[in-house]
Each structure stands twice: as structure tokens, then as C-alpha cells.
Amino acid sequence: MESRSLVVVGAGIAGTAAAIEAARAGVQVTLFDENPIPESMAALNAPQFFGQRFNAVLHDRALMLERVVHANEGLAEAEEAGVDVQLGTCVWGAFRNSDTSRVLDGPQLGLANRDRSWLIMYDRLIVAAGARDLGLAFAGWNLAGAMGANGAHALMRHYQALASRRMVVLGTGNLGLNTARMALDRGIEVAAIVDVSDSVRGDRALSAALQDMGVRLYTSHTVREAVGRDGEIESVRLVEIDDNSEPVAGTEKEISADTVCLAIGLVPNVELLSLLGCDVGFKPELGGYVPVHDDCMRTSVRDVHVAGDAAGFHDGMVLNTEIARSQGRLAGVAAAESLGAFDTAEATARRRELTGTAINSKPTDAYANWTRWLRALRNAGGSDVPVCPCEEVTREDLIGLRPPRFLKWESERRDGRSLGTLAPDARVNPDQVKRLTRAGMGHCQGRLCREQVALLLAEASGSDIADMPLMSYRPPVRPLPLRVLWSHDESEQVRREWAKWFSPTSPVLE
């Protein structure tokens, strides 16, 4: 098995900065990034919420690779520094010896591209895997055209393949405002920016500039539903809400749009870090569960570092890319120091310089805003809305602990089951609810529903969201075709005699 000195996962601002910093210190660095995403994965809304809003150019692999490279200036700088850049390669798993496994030769990563899957070992690891889109359900969000801000960002910036004509943006934080600005710059009409708050939450100057360009802002509003024919969004119905997040009668308005972009928040991608056993803690001001790290971006697991949005995201980072860049460089310095490329004095001097360049804004409790959005969407759209689109589990199904609908299972005992019946036995746990309802068991492994499931369960059970455990997941943390995950073909004997394997006399069954 091949081994690498330093592996960096993610070629965003933080990842490229980390790779460049370490490479210039003389470290052999390999940088993996999953872009360009295969069109089949984008159609599954993984790793971002793309919402089926991409055009046919996404099928042109060579063109997409060219555009990804062109859109990321840091890649050329990384290659000049000697970094081995591997694009179109996703990291689907991370493994190390622990109390339950002592057979590995060392820590390993599972990698995959369009053709194959393989494992590599590493001496040091920097995870700069970014953040994913927060999913909050509204009636019609399963139609083509409902998408996330990061998905829209990737299609606009990396691929130039966003197939939207008229967009409604949800969220007036910097994430929403910046998404609207990017859309306008690319000729996409922004019909409205909507927020449940009674005032704009993001940069006032940017908000004013957008309004000067003709964008309407609807504060104290929420989505009642997105409607359309043939599986496509054609319009969005908004309604004003009061201080209790209840819809105000007679205030409904319908806006023509083919896209609804969820820009309410982002959630750090902690899957790989969690699989490696890194300590994670709940910090609502940084997007929920985030890895515990020191000022040098070192995690609780020796030789594993983190940087950028994966270390914790807040709205101030949208307009200030120096935060992610400085974190990446700090992680690169720490990794290089641990490999002997920097002595302690030089590393300390570099850290002092970088700490001075980092501009930190004050993050606020994102979950408070998410909770209000969730309540407003539920009050306006009702409970018969799929909170888990992969498994078609509605809010009502989730709270009622109903079994999967395809089982068509009804019984008096089942009808008496609820969150209340679970409370006397143990604290409500998203994993327990997942096993009963299948919420979070789809191909995205809960990426679109993990946070809203936790919010709904916390509210319905009267629990603090901070006490709600993180819903579990397992490798592969990306949906992979079986031919890629295991490329070895079956033997001729198995192909010829496969039916015998299921017979009562089969040696396999003895």
C-alpha cells in the first residue's frame, strides 16, 4: 500500500493554503479534492445540495476539469510549490487503529475516482473538507430547483453550469446576500431575498447594493410552499409571519421563480474527523458539531489537523476569506513542524505572523436562527412535509415514530408509539429514531436532514439541542457505485453457478 508524508483533503482556500505552506517548507504534500463532481453524484445531491439545477455541460468531464482549475488560483500556486494535486478524487473513509481495531499498519484513507477505489497511508493529515448546506424542509422542496447555497456556489463558480433563470434566496445573512450577488453577476435574476428575522442579518452595505440593483427583501416572511408542474419549481408562495413565527392571514404573495436557494446556514463536514476518533463538541455559533482543536489547528488525534469551514463555520467567514486562509497556513505550519521541516523557533515565528493576519469576527448562535426558520416553515407549510427526502419521512412521521411508508404496516401497538413513550426509557436519540423511521438512512446519510431532525426531536421532547447526539454515519461517506467501491469482477464459476449458492445444500450455507 502506498504511503504519503502529508495528505490534505480539500482544495478550497484553507486546503490550498495549508498545502502550499507545508510544501514550501520542504514537505512532500498530496492534495486531494473531489471536484469536478461526477454528474451522477451531483444528481444525488452529494456532496452538496445541487437541486437538479445544472445544465448538460456538466457531463463534459474535460471541460469541467478545465473550469475547476481556472476557478481556483491556489491550485496553480500549489503545483508551483511542488504539491501533488489530485482532482476528481473523493475521500470516502478514514481508518485508524483503536480499541476495536488493531490490525492496520497505520492510519489510512479510502479514496475513489470515477474508475476505482483504493487505500493509502499517511504520516500527517489536514482535513479541510469545507461545509455542507443546511437543509430545512418546506412544501415543494423535493421539486427540481430547490438547492443549497454551497451547491449554487459550486455550479456558478467552479462549473459555470447553473441552469437557473430566476431565483429566490432564503436567508439575509452574508451567505444569502453573497449568493444573490454571485447570481446577479452571472445574469441570473434574483426575485427576492427572504428571512424570518425582522431585519437584515448580514452586511448592510451589501444589502443596500442589492436593493439598488432591484432585489426585493422580504423580512418577517417565510415560504408557505414552492409549486410547479412536471417536477420543476415555477413559483414560490411567501407569507408574512408574526413574532411567534405564525403566518399572518391575508399576507400571502406568489413570486415567479424556477429556483429556491437555501442560504440559511452551513454545517461543517466532520465525517472524516469523527471516523478517525477526533473529539467533536457542539458549538451552535460554529454550525453545530465541530472538531476540538488548539490554536495551531491540531485536533485531539495525533497527526490530524483541521482548517477552514470544517473547523467551524460562521457567517463572518463568507466575506472574509483571510480567516480560512490563515487557518490553513497555521495547519500547514503545524504539520511541517511535526515532520521536522520547521524547528520550534521558526514555527513559533510563523504562527505569530499568521495569528496577526487573521481577522476574527464575532460569531452568533446560528441554531437560534435555524430554530426560528424551522418553526416558521412548519407553521406555514404544515407537518405533512418530507423532512427526509431520500426516505420520504415527513415531520409528522418523524415525531410519531412511524415506520417506513413502503412497509404499509399498521397496528394498534404502532399507533400508540410516540416520542413520549420513549422518554421514560432513555433520552431521545436521533439514531434510535432513525432505526424506527429510516430518517437519515438515505444515500446522503442524513446530510439534508441531520440538523432539522435533531431540531425537531429536541423541540418535541423538550430537550436542549446541545444534548441531542450527533446522528451517526459510516463509510463510505460518499455514495459510490459498486463497480468503483469494489472493482474486482465475479469469477467465472460464480457467474456460471450463482443459483447454487442459494440452495439448501450450498457449502456457503453449511
Side-chain angles (χ1 to χ4, degrees):
M1 183 185 299
E2 61 180 316
S3 181
R4 308 295 175 92
S5 181
L6 171 61
V7 170
V8 179
V9 178
I13 293 173
T16 52
I20 292 168
E21 194 73 27
R24 287 177 175 169
V27 177
Q28 291 184 327
V29 184
T30 304
L31 175 63
F32 292 106
D33 192 88
E34 60 195 348
N35 291 293
I37 304 295
E39 66 278 0
S40 58
M41 188 178 294
L44 294 175
N45 287 322
Q48 303 294 348
F49 187 12
F50 292 104
Q52 304 296 320
R53 269 293 170 259
F54 47 84
N55 53 41
V57 73
L58 202 66
H59 298 278
D60 189 334
R61 178 76 172 176
L63 179 59
M64 289 302 97
L65 184 60
E66 179 183 332
R67 289 181 176 179
V68 166
V69 173
H70 180 73
N72 190 343
E73 297 177 357
L75 291 178
E77 187 178 353
E79 290 185 329
E80 290 176 2
V83 177
D84 177 19
V85 178
Q86 300 288 328
L87 300 179
T89 305
C90 75
V91 181
W92 55 262
F95 313 93
R96 60 187 287 267
N97 286 323
S98 63
D99 293 339
T100 58
S101 173
R102 299 185 182 276
V103 299
L104 300 179
D105 295 331
Q108 302 175 12
L109 296 176
L111 305 171
N113 56 25
R114 291 170 61 93
D115 303 314
R116 68 186 184 102
S117 173
W118 70 101
L119 295 172
I120 66 166
M121 298 175 61
Y122 60 86
D123 295 323
R124 302 293 185 273
L125 174 66
I126 298 175
V127 176
R132 57 184 169 81
D133 295 306
L134 170 73
L136 292 179
F138 54 86
W141 85 311
N142 53 339
L143 298 174
M147 66 186 313
N150 258 12
H153 182 276
L155 290 174
M156 286 190 285
R157 186 172 185 270
H158 295 308
Y159 304 134
Q160 303 171 40
L162 180 59
S164 296
R165 297 182 300 277
R166 201 162 193 258
M167 177 184 292
V168 170
V169 177
L170 307 186
T172 61
N174 290 332
L175 181 64
L177 298 178
N178 191 55
T179 301
R181 178 173 63 181
M182 290 181 66
L184 290 170
D185 289 344
R186 287 156 178 80
I188 299 169
E189 184 180 358
V190 178
I193 304 177
V194 183
D195 206 300
V196 294
S197 299
D198 59 5
S199 61
V200 173
R201 303 181 66 252
D203 185 81
R204 292 294 191 272
L206 179 54
S207 171
L210 291 170
Q211 291 180 78
D212 288 343
M213 297 172 71
V215 178
R216 291 284 303 274
L217 265 65
Y218 292 91
T219 55
S220 296
H221 277 72
T222 191
V223 176
R224 186 179 291 281
E225 65 176 331
V227 296
R229 295 170 297 177
D230 302 323
E232 299 268 349
I233 290 177
E234 295 180 341
S235 64
V236 185
R237 291 172 183 163
L238 306 179
V239 64
E240 188 175 347
I241 56 172
D242 59 22
D243 293 339
N244 296 317
S245 300
E246 294 286 350
V248 178
T251 63
E252 187 172 303
K253 50 191 68 69
E254 187 162 349
I255 297 176
S256 174
D258 64 359
T259 303
V260 179
C261 184
L262 280 157
I264 300 168
L266 299 180
V267 184
N269 285 320
V270 300
E271 289 87 352
L272 295 176
L273 295 160
S274 179
L275 290 174
L276 288 170
C278 299
D279 291 340
V280 295
F282 185 79
K283 293 189 176 181
E285 72 277 12
L286 294 179
Y289 280 94
V290 297
V292 176
H293 63 82
D294 63 13
D295 293 339
C296 300
M297 311 309 296
R298 295 178 292 218
T299 71
S300 61
V301 172
R302 182 178 178 271
D303 303 334
V304 178
H305 308 72
V306 66
D309 292 351
F313 171 82
H314 61 85
D315 208 46
M317 299 173 73
V318 175
L319 303 181
N320 184 6
T321 57
E322 285 305 310
I323 297 175
R325 184 173 289 107
S326 294
Q327 288 182 354
R329 295 181 67 187
L330 284 168
V333 169
E337 179 188 14
S338 68
L339 290 167
F342 281 137
D343 59 29
T344 302
E346 186 176 4
T348 301
R350 295 291 293 147
R351 278 192 285 269
R352 188 180 299 114
E353 173 191 341
L354 293 172
T355 303
T357 62
I359 306 172
N360 295 304
S361 56
K362 296 180 180 179
T364 58
D365 184 353
Y367 268 71
N369 180 52
W370 299 357
T371 299
R372 186 167 188 199
W373 263 105
L374 188 69
R375 289 174 179 169
L377 290 169
R378 181 195 59 202
N379 293 342
S383 297
D384 192 25
V385 172
V387 68
C388 174
C390 296
E391 297 293 327
E392 298 182 350
V393 181
T394 67
R395 296 185 184 119
E396 189 175 21
D397 295 335
L398 184 79
I399 301 305
L401 302 182
R402 294 177 178 172
R405 296 189 176 195
F406 59 80
L407 292 179
K408 299 180 180 179
W409 177 48
E410 295 183 4
S411 72
E412 184 177 343
R413 182 178 180 183
R414 201 285 304 164
D415 291 339
R417 189 170 68 189
S418 67
L419 288 179
T421 62
L422 292 181
D425 299 323
R427 186 176 63 182
V428 174
N429 189 309
D431 276 344
Q432 183 183 27
V433 174
K434 177 170 69 172
R435 295 183 183 101
L436 294 171
T437 67
R438 288 193 62 84
M441 282 193 178
H443 57 262
C444 79
Q445 291 206 57
R447 282 183 183 83
L448 283 180
C449 66
R450 200 178 295 162
E451 284 66 40
Q452 56 182 328
V453 164
L455 286 166
L456 285 165
L457 294 179
E459 183 179 55
S461 64
S463 305
D464 191 318
I465 185 63
D467 295 329
M468 197 62 56
L470 181 63
M471 186 185 290
S472 63
Y473 36 81
R474 294 173 178 82
V477 296
R478 290 286 187 270
L480 299 176
L482 288 177
R483 63 173 179 79
V484 169
L485 191 60
W486 182 253
S487 58
H488 300 280
D489 197 4
E490 60 191 7
S491 67
E492 179 60 31
Q493 180 187 7
V494 171
R495 187 180 298 109
R496 185 177 62 252
E497 302 180 6
W498 69 271
K500 295 181 181 179
W501 292 80
F502 300 97
S503 68
T505 58
S506 169
V508 176
L509 302 177
E510 291 180 354

